[in-house]
Structure formats: C-alpha cells, structure tokens
C-alpha cells in the first residue's frame, strides 16, 4: 500500500509526503536502501501512514546491533521515541481504542524496517 507505488530495490530518495494519505496507505520520505524484504534508512528517512487501529507495531533492526532510535509522531506531534537494537517487533503506538490517525515514523540511519502490524 505505498504511495505513489511500490518502492524499487536499490538506494532511492523520496520527497516528504505532505498531503493526505488514503487510509492504510504508506509513503516513504528521505533516502532509503530497499530490498524485497526491508527498507534501510540512509538519511532523513521517514514513513508516513494513515491508519485506523489502537496499536501499531513495526518489525525493526539496527545494523551491527548498535542502539538507534525511532521517533514516532501522531498527527504531527511527538508521541514517543523507541530505542532499537535487536531485530524484533516493536510497539510504536498504544491507544485506548481504535482511532483514525496520521503516523509519522522517523528512523535513524542504519535502522531497517520490515513489516507493520496493526491491532
């Protein structure tokens, strides 16, 4: 569900997506190194999404097992910072009930994102 389309393998730069997104669609911003299984942040990397859920999870890993951070924004406001070291499923958002919200995830260079899960 990427806007404008599926990311291409290799290193690509994407402009930040500033307009509205359809529900359950994603947009990359910044520079990424993509493979068929993951996208690794290279510089100014972000993922924007419009979601309807109470919880948002993302499988992440950090190159070399070094401590890096994911900065989570909801509706453009800082929500939390998640430390990442090992490859595992990380909870990014926990709300009392399912809501339609705009999610922005900013990843430090060297972090790889694999798959979102919503609950």
């Amino acid at each position: 569900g990427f806007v404008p389309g599926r990311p291409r393998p290799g290193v690509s730069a994407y402009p930040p997506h500033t307009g509205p997104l359809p529900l359950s669609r994603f947009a990359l911003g910044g520079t990424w190194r993509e493979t068929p299984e993951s996208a690794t942040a290279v510089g100014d990397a972000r993922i924007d999404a419009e979601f309807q859920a109470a919880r948002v999870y993302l499988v992440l890993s950090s190159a070399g097992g070094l401590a890096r951070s994911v900065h989570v924004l909801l509706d453009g406001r800082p929500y939390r910072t998640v430390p990442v070291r090992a490859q595992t499923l990380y909870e990014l958002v926990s709300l009392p009930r399912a809501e339609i919200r705009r999610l922005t995830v900013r990843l430090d260079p060297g972090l790889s994102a694999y798959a979102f899960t919503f609950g």
Side-chain angles (χ1 to χ4, degrees), residues 1-6 20-27 47-51 102-103 116 118:
F2 284 94
V3 174
R6 187 174 185 169
L21 282 166
L23 190 61
S24 302
R25 299 292 296 246
F26 303 91
I47 304 169
D48 290 294
E50 194 82 17
F51 73 93
R102 172 71 174 249
L103 173 71
F116 276 102
F118 299 89

Side-chain angles (χ1 to χ4, degrees), residues 17-115:
H17 189 86
T18 56
L21 282 166
L23 190 61
S24 302
R25 299 292 296 246
F26 303 91
L28 297 178
T31 305
W32 292 85
R33 179 178 299 109
E34 290 110 7
T35 71
E37 295 182 14
S38 68
T40 300
V42 175
D44 296 323
R46 65 188 279 165
I47 304 169
D48 290 294
E50 194 82 17
F51 73 93
Q52 182 174 2
R55 290 179 174 58
V56 178
Y57 304 90
L58 181 57
V59 176
L60 296 159
S61 68
S62 179
L66 299 175
R68 292 181 170 91
S69 296
V70 171
H71 307 279
V72 180
L73 292 86
L74 280 181
D75 302 323
R77 295 187 178 105
Y79 178 74
R80 68 183 294 206
T81 298
V82 178
V84 175
R85 185 180 296 256
Q87 183 175 345
T88 193
L89 183 68
Y90 290 88
E91 184 178 67
L92 302 183
V93 175
S94 179
L95 302 171
R97 64 188 174 286
E99 300 176 13
I100 295 176
R101 305 293 288 268
R102 172 71 174 249
L103 173 71
T104 300
V105 182
R106 295 185 178 154
L107 294 90
D108 285 351
L111 285 175
S112 296
Y114 295 86

